[in-house]
């Protein structure tokens, strides 16, 4: 609601997500159904952002932007995501709690303090969307723990959905799922849940392989290590840690106090709700284990795990474990409220709980940064073909982004590549932004889209074209239908195409690599297998129903 009056809450990742949505929507208009290359990142030189960033959030944002004014899209995205979060928590709670308690849990989860941090401070729309799926993940695991093979496909879809939404959340979900399965084995004194869970995880990885395989294979072509270095190293972001840059320390302090409040409320609620634990055998111990693990991993003594467990460091910020803890927060608080013997007291505590959350939200809203010009400025940067700033971790190997010629903060161009002011090149520069290093040539652009650049060149002397494009192994340059040998200067990695005198046709394509084809094939097979399994179980259930009637 504050966004109706104050504009958009412009958090840390706001520009990144909105720019991605606009880029994707533009590529859809070009006929590119599933983008891989962010055309306007790095001020128009591009980056392989959509290979590495999960697709669910940028597809959803682009879809909303295709039917709504861009100013409205962030608020609508948030609203829909929080509604989904409430529905997910209700689906989990309704099987274990009476209707009033299930409704309270469903209301508490989407407005839990960490979601407020994401909405107003961080603007990490993908993480918010992934968090909305966590109750469904636990619900799916509980179905599988009951030994029901027919429930495995449901967990497969949920697990894959998290992986297709946000990478750090996916790592959290993977380790959470392993922990839940181990607890389930201990509670049920059987290894069967582990077998079923492992099958579901394998199926989930296969279903999301069209994203996971290329992201895993091609990360050797980008500077992905920068995603966990420097200020974002987990060791510098534990709760109440002050070993970081001042801005990070300030924000870490805010999140730490919120985390402390969530931990305290969850712990107290769990104590009051403990008398009811015999009615929630599996769910109780699973949520307790998940809550304890989440708290431990947010504290410095867990550093050895962060340095040992595979890919755990890519969560970046330990306080991201507030996502699974929020499920325990909503469940235990709702259970504790209605465990009270006095109904008036239970409703009084409910009102007080929401007042406290409302007060926390008010404080966060007042401290958030509000800007109603962010969306228009990004839209203008793309429509004017200036582009937007890229990201360090998705920059191709060897590229120093700030040295790119189009960097508005750096007016110096790399040595040996100077712009050509010839009038006949102005049309090319306005259409593709491609400067050249020689005069006396004619160029005609046939196509300049995110994944293909095609144009003809007429030159009376040898010329080198400096494309407005950074080098990446997927780019293939052909001159006169033959693969050309290109070069790229240090630091900028800008693609240089040397041409002999005469007439030439240059065709630059973002080719399909083996990992993307293989990932698509694996996902296709997984979809077919899931469909077959669903039909098989439906027929078995129908046959059992008919037999029962007879």
């Amino acid at each position: 609601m504050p966004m109706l009056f104050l504009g958009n809450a412009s958090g840390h990742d706001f520009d990144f997500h909105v720019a991605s949505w606009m880029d994707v929507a533009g590529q859809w208009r070009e006929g590119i159904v599933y983008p891989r290359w962010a055309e306007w990142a790095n001020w128009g030189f591009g980056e392989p952002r959509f290979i590495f960033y999960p697709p669910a959030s940028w597809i959803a944002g682009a879809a909303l932007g295709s039917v709504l004014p861009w100013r409205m899209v962030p608020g609508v995205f948030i609203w829909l995501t929080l509604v989904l979060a409430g529905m997910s928590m209700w689906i989990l709670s309704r099987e274990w709690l009476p209707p009033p308690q299930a409704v309270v849990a469903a209301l508490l989860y989407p407005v839990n303090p960490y979601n407020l941090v994401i909405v107003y401070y961080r603007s990490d729309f993908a993480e918010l969307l992934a968090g909305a799926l966590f109750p469904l993940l636990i619900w799916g695991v509980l179905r599988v723990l009951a030994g029901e093979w027919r429930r495995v496909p449901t967990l497969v879809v949920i697990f894959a959905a998290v992986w297709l939404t946000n990478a750090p959340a996916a790592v959290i979900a993977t380790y959470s799922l392993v922990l839940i399965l181990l607890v389930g084995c201990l509670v049920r004194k059987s290894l069967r849940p582990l077998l079923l869970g492992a099958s579901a995880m394998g199926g989930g990885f296969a279903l999301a392989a069209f994203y996971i395989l290329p992201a895993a294979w091609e990360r050797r072509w980008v500077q992905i290590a920068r995603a966990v270095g420097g200020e974002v190293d987990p060791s510098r972001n534990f709760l109440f840690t002050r070993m970081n840059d001042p801005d990070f320390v300030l924000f870490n302090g805010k999140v730490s106090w919120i985390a402390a409040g969530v931990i305290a409320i969850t712990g107290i609620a769990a104590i009051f709700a403990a008398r009811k634990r015999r009615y929630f055998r599996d769910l109780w111990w699973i949520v307790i284990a998940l809550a304890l693990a989440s708290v431990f991993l947010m504290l410095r003594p867990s550093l050895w795990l962060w340095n040992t467990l595979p890919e755990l460091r890519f969560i970046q910020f330990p306080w991201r474990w507030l996502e699974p803890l929020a499920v325990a927060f909503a469940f235990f608080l709702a259970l504790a409220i209605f465990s009270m013997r006095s109904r008036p007291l239970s409703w009084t505590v409910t009102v007080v709980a929401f007042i406290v959350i409302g007060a926390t939200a008010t404080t966060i809203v007042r401290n958030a940064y509000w800007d109603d010009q962010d969306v228009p400025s990004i839209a203008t940067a793309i429509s004017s073909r200036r582009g937007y700033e890229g990201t360090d971790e998705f920059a191709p190997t060897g590229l120093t982004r700030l040295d790119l010629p189009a960097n508005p903060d750096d007016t110096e161009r790399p040595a040996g590549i100077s712009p050509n002011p010839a009038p006949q090149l102005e049309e090319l520069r306005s259409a593709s932004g491609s400067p050249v290093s020689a005069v006396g040539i004619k160029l005609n652009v046939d196509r300049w889209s995110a994944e293909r650049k095609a144009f003809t060149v007429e030159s009376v002397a040898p010329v080198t074209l400096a494309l407005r494009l950074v080098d990446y192994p997927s780019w293939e340059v052909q001159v006169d239908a033959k693969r050309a040998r290109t070069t790229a200067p240090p630091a900028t990695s800008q693609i240089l195409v040397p041409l002999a005198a005469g007439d030439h046709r240059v065709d630059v394509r973002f080719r399909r690599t083996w990992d993307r084809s293989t990932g698509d094939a694996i996902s296709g097979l997984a979809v077919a297998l899931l469909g077959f399994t669903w039909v098989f179980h439906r027929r078995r259930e129908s046959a059992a129903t008919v037999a029962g009637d007879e």
Side-chain angles (χ1 to χ4, degrees), residues 140-171:
V141 176
L142 288 169
R143 291 297 190 88
V144 169
L145 288 178
E148 302 179 43
W149 271 104
R150 63 190 181 90
R151 301 298 183 185
V152 170
T154 302
L155 183 57
V156 167
V157 173
I158 298 169
F159 185 65
V162 177
W163 266 98
L164 295 174
T165 303
N166 181 257
V171 177

Side-chain angles (χ1 to χ4, degrees), residues 112 114 255 258-259 262 298 318-327:
N112 76 79
Y114 184 58
V255 177
I258 289 173
V262 172
M298 287 188 280
W319 37 258
R320 274 181 162 151
W321 280 92
L322 280 166
E323 272 192 322
L325 183 61
V327 178

